[in-house]
Amino acid sequence: MNTATERLHEQFDTSRQQLKASKLGMWTFLATEVLLFGALFCVYSFYRFQYPQGYALGSKHTDVVLGTIETIILLTSSLTMALAIRAIRLAQRRTSIALLLTTAAFGVSFLAIHATEYVHEWHEHLFPGHTFDATLRAVSGTEMFFTLYYVMTGLHALHVTIGLTVLLVLVELTRRNRFSPTYFTPVELGGLYWHLVDIVWIFLFPLFYLVSRT
């Protein structure tokens, strides 16, 4: 059975010190992700003030019901992720595996629902370009709204996909008994990344789905 001591890198004195350093590295990485999405939020805000009617019209063509379901799914997945970390700390390996798989299932469900939205929007000619609905294009800013909608939600979906890969790796490592109550750094770092994915969606949901309802 692997112990925290066996997995302690030579530059660290204790496993606690190693965990703190790893968290600092992850938080630094997450800060760069915040800057990425922050820049897109600034672009969104600029054009929203320029074209309030176009944004409101575009928002009316998003599916707020599916968006709400997606939000609930991701918020619930954050809970199961937190419980998975707790289970590892309590040496409940099977419970942790089940919770990690549940979190991954929520992530897959989110992507499946979002893909369904994209398909519906494609058939409704809501993708920017020469096929974009002419009636909507007549209102300034509507096409820009959908451009940012696909860029930002698509980038978020990419992060969810990466998160799913991380979760599956954690499941396999947990199955191999690589973690213990004294060593669970990768699981905790994976949890931080997954929580970021959820937080970003909490901002995306009102920005795109609730504009016409505010």
Side-chain angles (χ1 to χ4, degrees):
M1 177 177 178
N2 292 313
T3 66
T5 304
E6 290 172 344
R7 307 195 70 78
L8 182 66
H9 295 289
E10 62 182 8
Q11 66 267 35
F12 300 108
D13 296 326
T14 64
S15 58
R16 184 175 181 80
Q17 183 186 55
Q18 179 173 267
L19 175 61
K20 288 184 176 181
S22 299
K23 279 188 174 181
L24 177 61
M26 175 56 77
W27 279 114
T28 302
F29 168 72
L30 295 181
T32 66
E33 295 291 287
V34 170
L35 289 174
L36 171 61
F37 279 100
L40 291 172
F41 287 140
C42 288
V43 173
Y44 171 96
S45 299
F46 175 80
Y47 283 106
R48 179 174 178 178
F49 283 113
Q50 292 289 317
Y51 308 108
Q53 292 182 339
Y55 269 50
L57 179 60
S59 179
K60 289 180 180 178
H61 286 78
T62 59
D63 194 323
V64 69
V65 174
L66 290 183
T68 301
I69 294 173
E70 291 165 349
T71 303
I72 294 172
I73 285 174
L74 283 187
L75 289 177
T76 307
S77 74
S78 269
L79 172 62
T80 56
M81 186 69 221
L83 292 175
I85 296 172
R86 180 178 181 274
I88 281 290
R89 300 182 71 168
L90 296 176
Q92 299 171 348
R93 185 166 62 92
R94 290 184 178 180
T95 300
S96 181
I97 291 174
L99 288 166
L100 287 171
L101 288 174
T102 301
T103 305
F106 280 130
V108 171
S109 300
F110 173 88
L111 291 177
I113 294 173
H114 210 62
T116 301
E117 282 189 86
Y118 282 171
V119 171
H120 290 167
E121 289 155 359
W122 172 263
H123 290 303
E124 293 175 6
H125 303 287
L126 297 177
F127 273 74
H130 68 280
T131 62
F132 191 72
D133 187 288
T135 303
L136 296 179
R137 182 182 282 128
V139 180
S140 298
T142 307
E143 192 166 9
M144 175 56 71
F145 170 87
F146 277 104
T147 298
L148 290 172
Y149 167 78
Y150 292 117
V151 169
M152 296 174 73
T153 59
L155 184 61
H156 177 264
L158 174 62
H159 281 73
V160 173
T161 303
I162 294 172
L164 286 173
T165 303
V166 171
L167 288 173
L168 294 178
V169 170
L170 291 175
V171 167
E172 180 59 22
L173 291 177
T174 304
R175 188 187 66 81
R176 296 182 183 182
N177 208 23
R178 297 292 180 86
F179 306 125
S180 70
T182 54
Y183 177 74
F184 51 88
T185 301
V187 183
E188 184 138 355
L189 298 185
L192 286 176
Y193 179 86
W194 191 259
H195 294 322
L196 171 72
V197 169
D198 296 348
I199 290 171
V200 169
W201 180 257
I202 289 174
F203 284 94
L204 292 178
F205 174 63
L207 289 180
F208 288 109
Y209 292 84
L210 303 180
V211 175
S212 62
R213 298 166 179 84
T214 56

